[in-house]
Amino acid sequence: MSKNEYIGLKNVFVDGGVFDYINLDKSSAAYEKLTQAIDKPLKLILFFGKPGTGKTFLLQKIYNDFKKKKNIIFFPRPFFNEIEFLKALYFETFKEISPEFSGYDQFLSTVIEKLELSKKHKAITVLIDESQLYPNELIEKIRLLADSRKFKFLFTVHKTDDEDILAKDYFQTRIWETIELENSSYNEVKTYIEKKLIFHNKFEYLSLFKEKHFKLVMKLTQGNLRTINKLLFKLFEILEYYDVSSPSKINPRSLNTKFLIMAGISQGMINV
Amino acid sequence: MFSPSEIADLEKKYSKYYMKKVLKLFSIIFLSILIALPVGYYILIYNNTTNKKQDKKIINKNKNEIIKPKVLILPKKLYNTVLTKESNETNTTKKIKTSTLHEINKSDKNMSVNKIVQIETIKKKKEENTSNLSFHIEPSNDLSYKTSTRSLLKLNFSYSNEKNTPTKIAKVEEKNDTIKEVKLPIQKVSQKKKPRIKIEMQDIDSVRYLKDKFQNTHNIIFALMLCEEYYSQKNYRESLNWSMIANDIDNQSERSWIWFAKSKYRLGKPNDAKMALKAYLKSNESETIKSLLKKIENGSLDD
Ligand SMILES: Nc1ncnc2c1ncn2[C@@H]1O[C@H](COP(=O)(O)OP(=O)(O)OP(=O)(O)O)[C@@H](O)[C@H]1O
Ligand SMILES: [Mg+2]
């Protein structure tokens, strides 16, 4: 095997490298729930889950699938400033450069007028990723925007263990629908790795991973997709090294668990 | 990429991790031996005083115990090592096993069946006068060879085969035969009651699995995997066949051309192989194909 092959394999697991969406049981279930929630006359939807479970990927998927059929806007990056947010919302809504706004009230009256003129009566869905980074005042303003029924917002929030986002009062009082995305199960982890390899045309390496490897990956990552990416990226980086410096130590047809453990150690998933 | 010092550091940490694991395993074995020795000693004394006239081999007649051997499929090589390990066990443990293991070993010598014997002796209440025996054949996907809890009273081995080739299917019948042969010595051991023999068999053969997958999905990946599987079994006719099926699905699939050429070459048709690769190169750029062509041309293909 040439050096390039491990670099190629490594790059399959670059986190968020390309949009290689895979249908996993949990992501499909969340997809269904989210699209149904979007169709319901709700103003606010909360979509949450631990970091790295695939929320952004799912939003991207929903956006790709509906951008042609529905009025839908996706904000993958957070805004920290109200005016910037409003201008971006204006631009995405009308696909034209936003005029200057003095503030929220002016924005709302301009937008309502313009929407009525263009006969857009259905609420525009706005997918907001990384909501936990928005300043509280801005979240308040977005809530008010939702009350106008011109927009409905899907807040995506990552839930860390030490912070219960659902307990925050602005989510408690207003959110009407909450949808959670959890870590993947053992079978999903298997499917994830296999389909990733297939998607990137690395099917010769499908047989590299055996049951014992999947089990170890599951144990080390608890089924977190981002953590799996990190672990496997390191694994192939290690193999890349051996392939260059001492190829006799590796067998391209079978994976020595040692290297997976070394990758786990280098990522702090195993403490020694 | 990693620097040599980073890898050296990782290697060191890995060794440390490994040592810790081995130490843990050893301490478990050591502890269980510590516990097992006095118990075994006690059982021996007890046996000697109560059943002096009894044949030493018929230990499982012991009122206190029930012996459940389990037979698991395992690669041939490992079977041998396990058996030698068995014979290296301490004297006390040997006594319990000889009754069953020995016979199995004997009847099995000429067989190409791969097995592992798992014996569990469980203490039971004194009211039980007879012993129950049961056999299981179970393939498992667990690749780890565990010998963690080994003691006189509990012996646990597990292993399984990683890849089943079609030749192994044929052996299924043999496995059945062996079970029958195994049956006899056991009946000898517990003369009073017939042993309960339970045979469960599932053999997963990778070729059949891949063929099923291919039937259901018609995905080129499975056709290519079949090429690889057959090629590694030196069944070049079949690998050629599947390379053509794969090529039928997608004639741009580089791997299908590679398997086609390699199989042709192995079947003594290097000219066909060369022609195919050259044809592919006419409309495609590929370093892999070029180097394969070169190897075929100077007869240095070695995989
Ligand atoms: N359905 C999927 N198909 C393929 N890959 C996925 C899928 N979901 C997640 N991933 C992989 O997992 C990585 C992390 O997913 P993502 O960025 O969507 O997580 P997240 O839940 O948005 O995390 P955070 O809360 O930190 O924003 C992605 O970069 C991608 O490689
Ligand atoms: Mg995200």
Side-chain angles (χ1 to χ4, degrees):
Chain A
M1 178 145 55
S2 75
K3 182 186 160 191
N4 285 336
E5 309 251 3
Y6 285 119
I7 296 178
L9 280 166
K10 182 177 85 171
N11 290 336
V12 169
F13 294 98
V14 168
D15 197 61
V18 277
F19 185 64
D20 51 355
Y21 180 86
I22 290 163
N23 261 327
L24 301 166
D25 293 351
K26 288 203 185 78
S27 56
S28 310
Y31 179 90
E32 283 301 312
K33 281 190 203 157
L34 284 169
T35 50
Q36 280 168 19
I38 288 173
D39 279 338
K40 284 187 215 165
L42 301 168
K43 290 186 288 186
L44 299 166
I45 303 154
L46 177 64
F47 178 39
F48 68 101
K50 293 209 175 93
T53 42
K55 297 182 296 297
T56 301
F57 251 55
L58 205 50
L59 286 191
Q60 183 70 55
K61 165 90 176 146
I62 289 174
Y63 179 66
N64 292 351
D65 289 357
F66 290 99
K67 64 183 171 201
K68 292 222 175 70
K69 293 177 243 162
K70 275 195 173 83
N71 276 325
I72 192 163
I73 293 168
F74 179 29
F75 286 141
R77 310 248 164 278
F79 290 90
F80 301 101
N81 168 299
E82 183 187 328
I83 299 294
E84 264 171 41
F85 175 79
L86 294 176
K87 282 171 83 176
L89 190 56
Y90 184 97
F91 177 78
E92 293 294 335
T93 309
F94 302 110
K95 295 287 176 229
E96 61 181 54
I97 308 253
S98 162
E100 292 300 322
F101 293 115
S102 59
Y104 168 78
D105 293 325
Q106 198 197 346
F107 169 84
L108 199 58
S109 54
T110 318
V111 165
I112 288 178
E113 199 178 309
K114 216 168 147 65
L115 282 176
E116 236 115 73
L117 266 176
S118 62
K119 301 214 161 52
K120 280 185 184 162
H121 298 301
K122 272 192 115 182
I124 296 164
T125 307
V126 186
L127 310 175
I128 296 185
D129 202 3
E130 310 280 8
S131 310
Q132 76 281 348
L133 296 175
Y134 283 60
N136 281 0
E137 309 86 67
L138 187 48
I139 297 262
E140 278 301 316
K141 288 281 157 62
I142 295 173
R143 270 178 42 183
L144 289 174
L145 266 179
D147 286 341
S148 76
R149 294 231 171 241
K150 295 292 169 201
F151 298 97
K152 65 166 74 176
F153 292 94
L154 190 150
F155 288 107
T156 305
V157 179
H158 77 207
K159 185 185 84 167
T160 50
D161 285 335
D162 42 67
E163 181 197 32
D164 188 1
I165 203 81
L166 291 173
K168 288 202 172 169
D169 53 350
Y170 52 79
F171 286 131
Q172 263 192 349
T173 48
R174 301 280 183 119
I175 296 293
W176 292 344
E177 181 105 51
T178 58
I179 294 158
E180 181 171 8
L181 186 60
E182 287 172 3
N183 275 338
S184 298
S185 66
Y186 173 72
N187 277 331
E188 288 168 322
V189 167
K190 234 174 118 175
T191 313
Y192 177 71
I193 296 175
E194 285 175 349
K195 288 208 179 156
K196 274 279 246 201
L197 292 171
I198 291 173
F199 186 97
H200 294 270
N201 281 322
K202 304 282 180 211
F203 33 77
E204 318 88 283
Y205 302 102
L206 277 173
S207 55
L208 210 54
F209 290 94
K210 302 272 163 25
E211 204 89 352
K212 64 172 174 184
H213 301 119
F214 289 126
K215 278 186 186 152
L216 185 56
V217 170
M218 183 66 191
K219 200 173 137 194
L220 295 181
T221 64
Q222 259 94 55
N224 188 279
L225 299 177
R226 183 173 295 136
T227 318
I228 294 174
N229 287 347
K230 284 185 189 161
L231 180 69
L232 295 188
F233 183 88
K234 278 291 160 202
L235 169 72
F236 290 118
E237 201 177 18
I238 289 171
L239 290 174
E240 180 197 347
Y241 174 87
Y242 282 100
D243 196 39
V244 174
S245 62
S246 39
S248 63
K249 284 193 183 162
I250 52 173
N251 177 353
R253 289 181 139 263
S254 81
L255 174 64
N256 189 338
T257 316
K258 173 185 168 180
F259 299 121
L260 202 50
I261 290 170
M262 281 170 69
I265 293 172
S266 83
Q267 287 297 297
M269 296 167 195
I270 299 172
N271 291 319
V272 284
Chain B
M1 202 174 72
F2 280 96
S3 70
S5 64
E6 280 170 319
I7 289 287
D9 185 48
L10 273 181
E11 287 258 14
K12 221 195 271 165
K13 284 183 177 155
Y14 174 78
S15 309
K16 207 169 136 193
Y17 165 89
Y18 190 76
M19 283 310 293
K20 267 191 194 168
K21 259 208 136 155
V22 170
L23 262 171
K24 211 166 135 191
L25 192 75
F26 266 109
S27 48
I28 290 170
I29 293 172
F30 183 71
L31 269 178
S32 35
I33 289 174
L34 263 190
I35 297 164
L37 273 179
V39 178
Y41 185 70
Y42 170 79
I43 289 171
L44 271 184
I45 302 276
Y46 183 80
N47 277 349
N48 280 344
T49 48
T50 52
N51 309 323
K52 258 186 182 168
K53 287 166 200 167
Q54 231 176 339
D55 187 344
K56 270 183 191 168
K57 276 192 174 178
I58 313 175
I59 277 189
N60 34 357
K61 259 189 153 183
N62 190 337
K63 287 170 190 169
N64 299 327
E65 301 189 5
I66 279 187
I67 297 182
K68 282 193 206 159
K70 271 190 179 176
V71 182
L72 297 166
I73 304 166
L74 142 142
K76 196 176 178 181
K77 268 185 272 164
L78 277 153
Y79 176 42
N80 295 335
T81 46
V82 169
L83 286 180
T84 33
K85 272 197 181 175
E86 295 281 351
S87 51
N88 289 340
E89 291 285 318
T90 52
N91 284 338
T92 39
T93 18
K94 219 177 188 172
K95 295 221 166 170
I96 289 187
K97 276 177 285 158
T98 37
S99 51
T100 45
L101 236 188
H102 224 68
E103 267 97 351
I104 293 166
N105 198 0
K106 256 190 266 165
S107 66
D108 214 70
K109 266 202 174 129
N110 308 322
M111 294 287 173
S112 49
V113 190
N114 313 310
K115 277 195 213 102
I116 186 165
V117 177
Q118 186 184 57
I119 300 177
E120 274 181 71
T121 36
I122 303 162
K123 270 224 161 194
K124 251 222 157 179
K125 280 175 191 167
K126 288 195 177 182
E127 26 185 285
E128 279 279 348
N129 237 341
T130 50
S131 53
N132 272 326
L133 290 157
S134 78
F135 268 70
H136 297 262
I137 294 192
E138 303 171 313
S140 105
N141 286 323
D142 185 8
L143 295 170
S144 54
Y145 176 38
K146 293 175 202 142
T147 53
S148 50
T149 37
R150 253 202 233 186
S151 69
L152 177 74
L153 295 178
K154 193 164 187 193
L155 293 160
N156 248 318
F157 301 91
S158 82
Y159 210 92
S160 83
N161 39 359
E162 204 174 300
K163 246 186 188 176
N164 284 314
T165 52
T167 42
K168 277 180 189 156
I169 299 182
K171 288 171 195 160
V172 172
E173 257 74 71
E174 293 171 4
K175 279 172 204 153
N176 272 331
D177 289 343
T178 329
I179 294 309
K180 274 178 203 153
E181 292 202 29
V182 170
K183 216 165 152 181
L184 294 171
I186 293 206
Q187 279 171 338
K188 246 187 265 164
V189 172
S190 56
Q191 286 144 333
K192 280 179 188 171
K193 267 193 179 176
K194 273 186 189 170
R196 185 167 48 90
I197 295 183
K198 192 179 153 202
I199 303 171
E200 291 165 22
M201 235 174 334
Q202 293 169 349
D203 207 7
I204 302 163
D205 162 45
S206 59
V207 166
R208 214 174 46 209
Y209 171 80
L210 289 173
K211 279 188 181 165
D212 279 354
K213 279 274 187 198
F214 180 77
Q215 286 296 330
N216 296 333
T217 61
H218 266 261
N219 190 326
I220 187 167
I221 286 158
F222 299 111
L224 291 166
M225 285 170 85
L226 278 160
C227 291
E228 181 174 349
E229 192 67 33
Y230 277 123
Y231 190 87
S232 68
Q233 290 170 20
K234 300 198 165 36
N235 189 339
Y236 304 121
R237 249 175 218 300
E238 280 298 318
S239 62
L240 179 73
N241 195 7
W242 281 96
S243 75
M244 292 193 281
I245 294 173
N247 193 263
D248 229 30
I249 297 170
D250 175 12
N251 63 9
Q252 288 303 302
S253 157
E254 187 184 283
R255 311 248 13 133
S256 71
W257 291 85
I258 294 175
W259 290 121
F260 178 87
K262 281 179 152 187
S263 309
K264 275 282 184 193
Y265 178 80
R266 293 282 172 217
L267 289 166
K269 298 255 164 64
N271 282 334
D272 288 0
K274 278 184 258 177
M275 254 156 57
L277 294 181
K278 280 178 189 158
Y280 180 83
L281 284 173
K282 263 186 197 152
S283 47
N284 300 277
E285 260 301 311
S286 164
E287 284 307 316
T288 325
I289 297 280
K290 273 185 201 159
S291 89
L292 179 62
L293 180 60
K294 212 175 256 169
K295 277 185 193 162
I296 289 180
E297 273 170 344
N298 54 35
S300 64
L301 183 70
D302 50 12
D303 59 348

